[in-house]
Amino acid sequence: MIAEALAGKRIAITGATGFLGTALVERFLRGAPDCEIVCIVRPTRSFSPLQRIKREVIRNDCFDRLRSELGDRFDDEVARRVQAIAGDVSTDGLGLDFEGLKTLGSCDVVIHSAATVSFESPIDAAININLLGPSRVAQAMHKAKSKAHLVAVSTAYVSGSRRGDVREELVNDAWYTVDVDWKQEVSVAQASLDEAETQSRQLEKLASFNKQARRELGSAGTPLLAERAEKLRSDWVRDRLVQQGKARAKSLGWPDVYAYSKALGEKALLETRGDTPVTFVRPSIIESSLQEPVPGWIRGFRMAEPILLGVGRGLLKSFPGFPEGALDVIPVDKVVAAICTVAALPPPESPKVFHVASGTRQPLRYRDLVELVTEWYREHPLYDANGQAIAVFEWDYPTRSKVERQLQTAHRMLGITERVLRNIPLRRHVGLASAKLEQQKLTIERALGYVEIYGAYTESEARFRIDNTLALFQSLPESDQAAFHFDPIDINWRHYLHDIHLPSIIAQGRVRTKPTKKATVDRSARAVKTILSPDRQLAIFDLEHTLIPSTVLSSYLWFALKHLDTKERISLLAKKLPHAPALVLADKRDRGEFQRAFYRWFSGARIEQLRADSHELFASYIMQLAFPDGIRRIRAHRTAGHRTLLITGTLDIVAEGLRPLFDDVVASSLAVDHNGICTGELAKSPPVGEARALLLRDYAEEHGIDLEQCVAYADSSSDLPMLEAVGHPVVVNAEPRLASTALRRGWHAEHWRRETRSFPLPIPPRVTRSMHV
Amino acid sequence: MSRPGYISAVDRNTQPISLWRGETLSRVTLPMGSHVVVPPEPQEANNNLRDIARRAVMEPTAHGLLQERFQPDTKLVLVVRGSHEFGYTLQRDIRRYLVEEVLEIAANQGVDDARILVARGTHGRLDDQQLRSMLGNRIVDSFVPHGLLHQHNIDDESFLEDVGLTSGNFPVNRWLSEATCVVVVDLANSAPGDDDPLWGLFGAPVYRSALQNMLPCSRSELAAALSASCNAHYLVALHNGQVLPKPLAFSMKRDFSGIDTLLSQSASALSNLISSRLARGVHRRLAAQPGICAIATGDREGVAEAIAQHRMSQSSVPLDQPYDIVSIGVSPNAATRTGSPIDPILAAHDALSHAAPFVRDGGVIIFHHDFEAEFDPSLHVASADYYAEVLRAQRSAEEATNHLVPHFASDVWYRNLYANTYAFHGLYPLELMDSIHTVQRRVKQVIGVGSNPVVARDFGFRPSSTLNDALELARESLSISDPSFLHVHNPPSVTAL
């Protein structure tokens, strides 16, 4: 009956590129062979609506079954029955052009499933899409003079954080609905956005963003710092609007901004629908399919997956929830079947509501869920990076506040440790440890987010009644009941979780399911292979801490002490060393500023003497410090036929010994007067920070090199502009800030060691005559 | 007359012996029934180096007095060895006195064109301190600033000239062909195997050919031909094998007194407490002073024969038949510069070359060394790369010969470091590995006691944690239930007679 009812009909769908939308398109194509689909899709800069549908929907494995059933006819069938028009639910009238309106007007059913489903959307975005979206669809239908049946997909949680039975009734009629003027909510949300934008530009705020950017990136150069500060500002605005959304939703009794905006969206639609027949379909928590198109089909990670994976990964050692409470989960194919059935119904005279939920018919107790999940993980453990099986913890069903307190304490402690590590002037292990701490902090933040957002759902005591839905199901002939089965009574939770859902999300979760460590080694070897590929054209190396652990300070000391006797050496050290802390701080602030200040110490030195001494400096000091792996890598690049370039803020006389390894060397050089005496100034700006990126671009242009085919090696956040400029950035012995950045961006990181464990001091032997023989 | 060396059987009364594992000392109890080499007593030495040098220079030879070779227009080139065979700095170096005496005689004869040539072959340049230690401040300050002291560079073609020794291209340092009088001043090692210092003055192609077995004659014959072509006069002193500094000399003794035993126990205990790095720091502060027990002057053959005779009485031990298993430590002066790490290549070379004369073909050598892959980053860059890129990567010996010799010989980076820093030439690790492979091919197995297992396996050796385990492995490998076992002291260097 359903297939027949839909035959010859045109069904418009918004949100077709989403999880539910994709399943809907597939089900209509497969289950109702004579209907047509019109997808209302927002075009992107690169792809037209139809291209998006083909790329993001039709290519999805959801269609594998249909593809195999139709064989060669699949493409023709899709082309014949699927149409895409440009439309955007965040724009009034959906932004439809004349043709679009005409197409919409020709549709018999409009299914509005587009939504921002994040529980952490900023209030303005949630209101714009979830609240105003349905009304805009209705408005567009009016404009298109459409009399079609509007099926609005909402959520069962529009009932908010209420306890007890929730009947299938309109929000306006429900006892739980707080009387709120949705229009005022819209205007206040817009005002909140304006206010947040204004506040974020206040002097103190801008100063704090700048400070934080510098703390994160160090002396990375003005453009990057500015970019980071602006990102921090926009993040702040977003975060504020997210917080506002949460607060407003909670103040009105909804668990989050999603449920709040969906509820008000229903309300707005009821007010603005005019004579458009409307049916609300309210699913609970939608998860992977039970049967259709194949068991376990899911698109992207939904609400429960991060938590379920978090348990397996040992990230979540407990999660708040009432053991006796029911977590209302519904497989996607049940929801799709219900919507198809509703779409096949004649347009209702008055708005109708259908819950698609499992809680009353086949409840999944929270305790059962936890036990089933832990049981499964014990049989199918996930493995950590060392190949060790991750133990799943016994849950003790703590309260939400207790879990939040524990996580917040851990977060604070990690933050303190991370700050301490960042200020230790050591690299390698410290940098890595700091970066890992930051990752752990992010993990805890994520866990905290799960608890805050999803805790409301695991602690929900609402029971969504499905009287209308069941009545509808029971009114169907047996053949339709078999084909479009949306009664949750047939869900066996053990079978669903153990045999369908968990295997499906594990397969998609990029987690280790075998006790092997090889992947890491392979990844590193693969990365090196990619770096040394013949396709690369240029390898750029920073010097200090990348190829040698020395600093400009130690080179200076070596030069300065070289011609002094013991007494003079002690005197010089006593004079200079008190300046060291200030220089270290200057280095953290701005690398260029530091170098300019520091190189003033060379004032009065004879450049020829420095040049003569530099041979000895290189032979007896620099070579002792060099990282052999670094030297080997340069040589490997040369063997592979790549150009090699050294860019360093170190003095050219110090880097001179390494020149045979490089095609070109760009280094700082001291200015000298006509007598060959150093003035204490630099001959030109030091190649540090953003100057390196600019220099690199010029160099690439001059030599016809594609920067995407370049590899850059560096250790410090001041090298970020250079690393960002190339296609293959590699961080070496990174300082904590850069290590964190690299870890976040997935850049290849290496740790190069010195050949010996002894660390020579920058003190030359006192016999100084006739060194270079 | 000093007492000769002999081989003693280990019995109940034999005390644990002191054993150098590179920088550190340990004590090992040898199994009953095994044998141990008791080195010859050091020969009496004359410590008046100035006197020895003066007398040697004035000594008449078959070709007359040395001073008779000097005329006012003589172009004199003094050749000194630039290799790092002593490890420790010498407190007083006989070569300095010999060179000073030769220069004085030459000056007295009106010679004003005198130069010093450091024959270093594939070894790194001597640094200022090493030069001053060998030749003294006076000579260094007089010759270096005027470019009259040159450290031979085997790659510097502008300084090489083919002197037409035999068929083929054998470039040598051009100062030799320009000289009208060549005097070779050398301090010979107590054990045989030293090349003629002139061997260190050829160009890189000669060393490459030697490694690839493509020389038309032996190294010794080539050096002899060069010596003959420039009519070189030799002044060679022989030291008495006491190569360790005085505070460590107890470890080389053949008869241990109570104090020596106490010192040995203390040094062994201390070695267990301190790191190799700290131990190297201690060695760096020590200087050796081997006594001079003989000196020979004249032409190459005569001098070589005289030195060989002295050596035999000083450092050889009679051996009835080679042993199935030979155990040996690694001398602390295996380092090419005190204070620098004794890397696995140096350690294996030191142990295997000293153990080889005592072990039978198809036998087993057991050496004692940590065998950590730690290389001196300024001296042994090529060795570190050889280990990482050849041994770690398990590339074959054939490849080493066919592909790696040209690669390591011509590598621009190694050549640059060899020319401008103190780094050894790219061919140096290949020379050592060639010698290691020669011994390795002769024996059935090499076992490293206390060696890093990964590094040991990279060399094709077997690691073992104790001497007893190593002996068990050796027995298994030889399939003999009661193999003969000998432990060889190192240092002093001894050889089988």
Side-chain angles (χ1 to χ4, degrees):
Chain A
M1 188 194 93
I2 294 173
E4 289 77 21
L6 291 171
K9 287 193 173 170
R10 298 187 99 187
I11 303 160
I13 301 176
T14 67
T17 54
F19 173 43
L20 182 62
T22 302
L24 273 171
V25 173
E26 193 274 345
R27 197 73 181 92
F28 278 122
L29 286 180
R30 190 162 49 82
D34 296 318
C35 70
E36 286 181 18
I37 311 290
V38 176
C39 300
I40 302 173
V41 186
R42 183 168 46 84
T44 62
R45 213 177 287 174
S46 316
F47 300 107
S48 68
L50 190 60
Q51 282 172 320
R52 276 196 73 192
I53 288 296
K54 282 183 181 164
R55 288 170 57 88
E56 297 172 35
V57 181
I58 306 297
R59 276 191 203 168
N60 189 278
D61 59 356
C62 182
F63 288 79
D64 285 355
R65 178 173 166 185
L66 183 64
R67 196 174 282 113
S68 100
E69 282 176 8
L70 294 178
D72 295 342
R73 290 190 296 117
F74 177 78
D75 288 339
D76 292 342
E77 185 75 359
V78 168
R80 186 176 65 80
R81 295 178 59 196
V82 179
Q83 192 183 343
I85 58 171
D88 184 357
V89 292
S90 64
T91 310
D92 283 341
L94 303 185
L96 295 174
D97 57 13
F98 177 74
E99 282 301 318
L101 281 173
K102 205 171 139 189
T103 309
L104 179 65
S106 68
C107 291
D108 305 285
V109 180
V110 178
I111 301 172
H112 174 56
S113 71
T116 169
V117 292
S118 168
F119 296 158
E120 284 203 296
S121 291
I123 191 167
D124 61 313
I127 282 190
N128 194 25
I129 295 169
N130 293 350
L131 193 158
L132 293 174
S135 303
R136 287 190 180 121
V137 174
Q139 184 195 0
M141 288 169 71
H142 296 157
K143 205 170 166 188
K145 304 201 176 356
S146 167
K147 298 287 177 203
H149 176 191
L150 173 58
V151 180
V153 181
S154 184
T155 171
Y157 289 93
V158 292
S159 62
S161 312
R162 275 81 185 175
R163 295 177 180 182
D165 285 355
V166 178
R167 286 201 294 271
E168 293 157 297
E169 55 193 357
L170 297 174
V171 283
N172 291 347
D173 304 336
W175 60 270
Y176 48 74
T177 307
V178 180
D179 191 19
V180 188
D181 180 358
W182 64 269
K183 288 179 189 157
Q184 200 173 355
E185 294 298 308
V186 173
S187 56
V188 168
Q190 184 55 48
S192 300
L193 172 64
D194 295 341
E195 191 189 329
E197 289 286 354
T198 308
Q199 280 191 15
S200 72
R201 288 171 171 81
Q202 284 176 353
L203 279 178
E204 312 80 63
K205 277 274 158 251
L206 290 174
S208 85
F209 298 139
N210 288 339
K211 196 173 165 188
Q212 195 182 337
R214 189 169 285 284
R215 201 164 53 232
E216 286 178 17
L217 300 183
S219 46
T222 310
L224 273 187
L225 286 172
E227 193 180 301
R228 182 67 193 148
E230 176 56 16
K231 173 84 171 54
L232 287 168
R233 191 198 65 76
S234 61
D235 285 353
W236 181 86
V237 170
R238 188 182 188 282
D239 190 49
R240 197 181 151 106
L241 293 168
V242 168
Q243 295 308 327
Q244 212 155 345
K246 282 183 192 168
R248 182 61 181 151
K250 278 184 183 154
S251 74
L252 294 172
W254 279 285
D256 50 57
V257 75
Y258 173 66
Y260 151 79
S261 56
K262 280 303 237 181
L264 293 187
E266 281 192 25
K267 200 171 167 132
L269 179 59
L270 288 171
E271 278 183 33
T272 58
R273 73 180 180 92
D275 55 355
T276 302
V278 173
T279 301
F280 293 102
V281 176
R282 292 182 189 156
S284 54
I285 300 167
I286 309 177
E287 290 298 343
S288 65
S289 63
L290 183 67
Q291 284 295 335
E292 303 282 340
V294 286
W297 177 78
I298 193 166
R299 177 169 191 169
F301 274 0
R302 319 306 309 165
M303 181 194 138
E305 285 71 55
I307 300 171
L308 295 179
L309 274 181
V311 173
R313 283 171 168 154
L315 162 64
L316 288 176
K317 296 185 171 70
S318 60
F319 202 81
F322 304 130
E324 71 285 1
L327 185 69
D328 207 311
V329 171
I330 189 82
V332 65
D333 44 347
K334 299 274 177 204
V335 182
V336 168
I339 294 173
C340 289
T341 308
V342 168
L345 296 175
E349 287 176 10
S350 60
K352 283 235 158 45
V353 177
F354 293 95
H355 280 169
V356 192
S358 62
T360 50
R361 188 97 168 127
Q362 192 63 283
L364 171 62
R365 302 282 165 215
Y366 186 54
R367 179 188 296 282
D368 296 337
L369 171 72
V370 169
E371 283 176 4
L372 286 170
V373 170
T374 49
E375 191 183 305
W376 191 84
Y377 274 125
R378 284 195 183 114
E379 278 175 32
H380 309 90
L382 301 185
Y383 293 86
D384 64 16
N386 296 319
Q388 296 292 319
I390 301 169
V392 183
F393 289 80
E394 287 290 346
W395 284 27
D396 53 359
Y397 308 100
T399 61
R400 194 162 10 149
S401 59
K402 186 182 171 189
V403 176
E404 282 176 347
R405 250 197 333 273
Q406 285 171 345
L407 289 171
Q408 277 160 355
T409 307
H411 187 260
R412 256 200 314 279
M413 295 312 294
L414 283 174
I416 292 167
T417 316
E418 190 200 345
R419 273 200 298 282
V420 170
L421 281 182
R422 281 194 173 203
N423 286 305
I424 295 175
L426 293 174
R427 293 172 184 246
R428 276 172 34 80
H429 301 302
V430 174
L432 196 66
S434 171
K436 281 187 177 163
L437 274 184
E438 190 182 303
Q439 290 293 305
Q440 283 178 1
K441 219 172 83 181
L442 288 174
T443 305
I444 288 184
E445 278 170 16
R446 220 161 48 225
L448 208 52
Y450 295 157
V451 170
E452 189 186 352
I453 299 163
Y454 304 130
Y457 290 84
T458 52
E459 288 182 345
S460 169
E461 293 178 83
R463 295 177 69 246
F464 305 113
R465 295 184 66 97
I466 54 169
D467 306 315
N468 293 350
T469 309
L470 268 185
L472 177 63
F473 182 73
Q474 279 153 9
S475 71
L476 296 176
E478 271 187 19
S479 58
D480 279 347
Q481 282 187 350
F484 297 89
H485 197 290
F486 51 90
D487 180 359
I489 194 70
D490 64 342
I491 305 173
N492 175 331
W493 290 116
R494 170 177 285 276
H495 167 66
Y496 176 73
L497 285 167
H498 280 196
D499 304 329
I500 297 174
H501 189 58
L502 286 169
S504 168
I505 63 167
I506 292 301
Q508 295 191 34
R510 296 176 68 191
V511 285
R512 288 168 202 270
T513 54
K514 286 179 184 162
T516 170
K517 288 168 72 176
K518 217 179 159 191
T520 323
V521 178
D522 285 348
R523 202 161 46 236
S524 179
R526 269 202 313 274
V528 172
K529 203 173 164 191
T530 309
I531 286 164
L532 293 174
S533 151
D535 296 338
R536 306 288 93 79
Q537 297 173 353
L538 171 70
I540 308 113
F541 287 81
D542 171 46
L543 178 63
E544 301 228 329
H545 297 296
T546 303
L547 295 175
I548 53 170
S550 161
T551 64
V552 287
L553 190 64
S554 55
S555 309
Y556 166 79
L557 281 177
W558 200 95
F559 278 124
L561 298 175
K562 176 112 175 51
H563 298 281
L564 303 182
D565 62 27
T566 308
K567 206 172 155 190
E568 290 167 327
R569 286 179 174 194
I570 293 169
S571 161
L572 181 95
L573 288 173
K575 201 169 138 195
K576 294 293 184 189
L577 283 183
H579 296 281
L583 283 170
V584 171
L585 286 177
D587 190 15
K588 280 190 167 185
R589 268 198 311 275
D590 187 310
R591 189 84 177 145
E593 183 190 316
F594 158 75
Q595 290 189 346
R596 284 190 183 90
F598 177 74
Y599 289 139
R600 288 196 181 282
W601 287 12
F602 282 88
S603 173
R606 285 194 306 114
I607 192 72
E608 279 315 313
Q609 183 66 59
L610 292 176
R611 273 192 221 291
D613 292 344
S614 70
H615 295 291
E616 184 63 19
L617 168 74
F618 180 74
S620 63
Y621 185 62
I622 303 281
M623 280 303 292
Q624 281 284 335
L625 294 171
F627 300 131
D629 289 334
I631 306 288
R632 281 186 204 118
R633 183 57 57 79
I634 305 169
R635 287 154 57 72
H637 278 291
R638 291 178 72 84
T639 306
H642 308 156
R643 280 186 84 87
T644 51
L645 169 67
L646 176 70
I647 300 186
T648 174
T650 305
L651 291 177
D652 48 5
I653 47 175
V654 176
E656 184 60 28
L658 293 164
R659 192 171 280 274
L661 291 170
F662 295 96
D663 292 295
D664 292 291
V665 173
V666 180
S668 297
S669 51
L670 294 167
V672 290
D673 65 14
H674 59 281
N675 293 318
I677 305 293
C678 298
T679 61
E681 291 167 10
L682 290 173
K684 54 187 178 185
S685 294
V688 293
E690 67 268 33
R692 289 192 178 186
L694 295 172
L695 199 144
L696 199 53
R697 287 195 183 95
D698 292 346
Y699 185 90
E701 201 177 314
E702 188 187 335
H703 292 87
I705 288 168
D706 175 8
L707 281 173
E708 275 303 304
Q709 294 300 337
C710 295
V711 188
Y713 296 82
D715 67 291
S716 156
S717 56
S718 66
D719 302 314
L720 260 179
M722 179 173 85
L723 291 168
E724 285 188 331
V726 299
H728 300 270
V730 180
V731 299
V732 178
N733 302 341
E735 52 148 18
R737 281 185 291 233
L738 185 62
S740 304
T741 308
L743 209 59
R744 272 200 307 274
R745 299 190 188 183
W747 288 353
H748 180 55
E750 297 201 25
H751 298 284
W752 291 343
R753 289 186 308 118
R754 291 183 50 244
E755 189 67 65
T756 64
R757 287 184 287 275
S758 55
F759 200 96
L761 293 171
I763 301 173
R766 264 172 293 148
V767 182
T768 56
R769 284 166 292 181
S770 40
M771 276 299 193
H772 194 59
V773 288
Chain B
M1 180 72 183
S2 58
R3 291 180 295 169
Y6 65 99
I7 289 174
S8 152
V10 172
D11 58 23
R12 281 176 207 283
N13 299 324
T14 308
Q15 290 190 353
I17 56 146
S18 294
L19 172 77
W20 281 105
R21 302 174 52 86
E23 299 94 349
T24 56
L25 190 77
S26 64
R27 284 164 64 79
V28 176
T29 305
L30 295 174
M32 294 273 286
S34 61
H35 290 89
V36 61
V37 169
V38 179
E41 197 174 42
Q43 291 198 349
E44 205 176 318
N46 183 346
N47 288 326
N48 190 341
L49 302 186
R50 172 72 69 193
D51 183 51
I52 300 170
R54 186 162 294 151
R55 280 196 282 121
V57 169
M58 299 303 290
E59 194 176 319
T61 68
H63 304 290
L65 289 168
L66 175 62
Q67 66 183 25
E68 289 168 3
R69 291 184 163 223
F70 299 138
Q71 307 296 327
D73 59 348
T74 298
K75 290 185 173 183
L76 170 64
V77 170
L78 282 143
V79 176
V80 290
R81 188 192 294 273
S83 58
H84 301 61
E85 72 272 31
F86 292 106
Y88 293 97
T89 306
L90 300 183
Q91 278 174 353
R92 288 160 71 231
D93 195 323
I94 183 73
R95 289 173 291 188
R96 169 188 159 191
Y97 298 102
L98 289 168
V99 170
E100 282 180 355
E101 289 299 327
V102 172
L103 288 172
E104 195 174 321
I105 294 171
N108 290 341
Q109 299 297 318
V111 175
D112 61 1
D113 185 352
R115 303 173 197 193
I116 298 172
L117 190 51
V118 180
R120 62 180 176 127
T122 55
H123 284 231
R125 280 193 313 126
L126 299 177
D127 65 23
D128 191 71
Q129 284 182 323
Q130 286 172 315
L131 273 181
R132 286 171 191 280
S133 162
M134 180 168 73
L135 299 172
N137 288 340
R138 194 151 63 93
I139 291 176
V140 171
D141 290 336
S142 312
F143 280 71
V144 171
H146 300 101
L148 298 174
L149 188 150
H150 176 67
Q151 300 205 39
H152 177 61
N153 176 348
I154 66 170
D155 293 320
D156 187 355
E157 288 176 8
S158 67
F159 243 92
L160 293 171
E161 199 169 274
D162 188 354
V163 291
L165 293 179
T166 56
S167 58
N169 179 24
F170 297 109
V172 296
N173 190 292
R174 67 174 162 77
W175 276 12
L176 281 187
S177 57
E178 289 167 6
T180 56
C181 179
V182 174
V183 177
V184 179
V185 172
D186 195 22
L187 174 57
N189 220 335
S190 56
D194 275 346
D195 286 311
D196 186 319
L198 292 181
W199 173 250
L201 290 174
F202 284 98
V206 175
Y207 302 98
R208 278 178 63 167
S209 301
L211 276 169
Q212 292 172 309
N213 298 315
M214 286 162 67
L215 284 180
C217 54
S218 70
R219 291 155 58 135
S220 175
E221 284 166 351
L222 201 59
L226 178 59
S227 172
S229 82
C230 60
N231 191 22
H233 182 89
Y234 284 72
L235 277 163
V236 180
L238 179 71
H239 68 70
N240 63 355
Q242 298 300 291
V243 290
L244 295 189
K246 224 170 196 171
L248 308 176
F250 69 89
S251 66
M252 294 190 293
K253 285 188 177 174
R254 48 185 272 155
D255 304 316
F256 261 43
S257 66
I259 290 178
D260 293 328
T261 306
L262 195 65
L263 280 172
S264 167
Q265 284 169 342
S266 310
S268 171
L270 196 64
S271 288
N272 287 334
L273 291 175
I274 64 173
S275 64
S276 302
R277 180 181 149 192
L278 196 58
R280 285 203 290 272
V282 173
H283 286 286
R284 193 181 297 129
R285 282 161 182 77
L286 300 174
Q289 187 51 70
I292 300 301
C293 59
I295 192 157
T297 180
D299 61 8
R300 185 179 188 273
E301 282 70 29
V303 167
E305 197 178 321
I307 292 295
Q309 276 181 3
H310 281 289
R311 260 189 190 137
M312 195 181 295
S313 59
Q314 182 195 278
S315 60
S316 55
V317 175
L319 182 73
D320 292 338
Q321 62 177 29
Y323 280 73
D324 295 321
I325 305 168
V326 171
S327 146
I328 192 164
V330 172
S331 167
N333 72 340
T336 41
R337 187 188 288 173
T338 45
S340 87
I342 299 174
D343 63 57
I345 296 180
L346 288 171
H349 179 260
D350 183 74
L352 267 59
S353 59
H354 285 103
F358 297 93
V359 71
R360 71 166 170 84
D361 289 354
V364 172
I365 294 177
I366 296 171
F367 70 93
H368 304 255
H369 190 252
D370 298 342
F371 228 52
E372 294 295 343
E374 194 179 359
F375 295 81
D376 190 303
S378 54
L379 301 183
H380 296 301
V381 180
S383 294
D385 287 351
Y386 186 92
Y387 173 70
E389 293 168 9
V390 181
L391 295 173
R392 269 281 51 206
Q394 299 287 310
R395 288 162 77 176
S396 68
E398 288 72 29
E399 192 186 1
T401 308
N402 300 331
H403 170 70
L404 298 173
V405 169
H407 167 69
F408 276 79
S410 58
D411 187 282
V412 177
W413 177 238
Y414 299 147
R415 290 172 63 151
N416 170 70
L417 291 178
Y418 167 76
N420 299 313
T421 73
Y422 305 119
F424 284 51
H425 196 273
L427 287 174
Y428 180 73
L430 278 84
E431 288 178 342
L432 295 196
M433 288 306 299
D434 185 53
S435 154
I436 291 168
H437 284 143
T438 304
V439 179
Q440 224 175 337
R441 277 193 293 270
R442 255 196 64 210
V443 297
K444 187 153 193 186
Q445 197 166 72
V446 179
I447 302 171
V449 176
S451 298
N452 181 318
V454 175
V455 183
R457 286 193 190 100
D458 288 339
F459 276 74
F461 303 160
R462 282 193 77 170
S464 148
S465 41
T466 63
L467 177 60
N468 284 339
D469 289 350
L471 286 170
E472 198 54 48
L473 288 173
R475 276 189 209 105
E476 248 175 55
S477 162
L478 294 170
S479 307
I480 305 175
S481 60
D482 190 20
S484 57
F485 171 59
L486 174 74
H487 178 77
V488 181
H489 269 293
N490 181 28
S493 295
V494 285
T495 189
L497 185 63

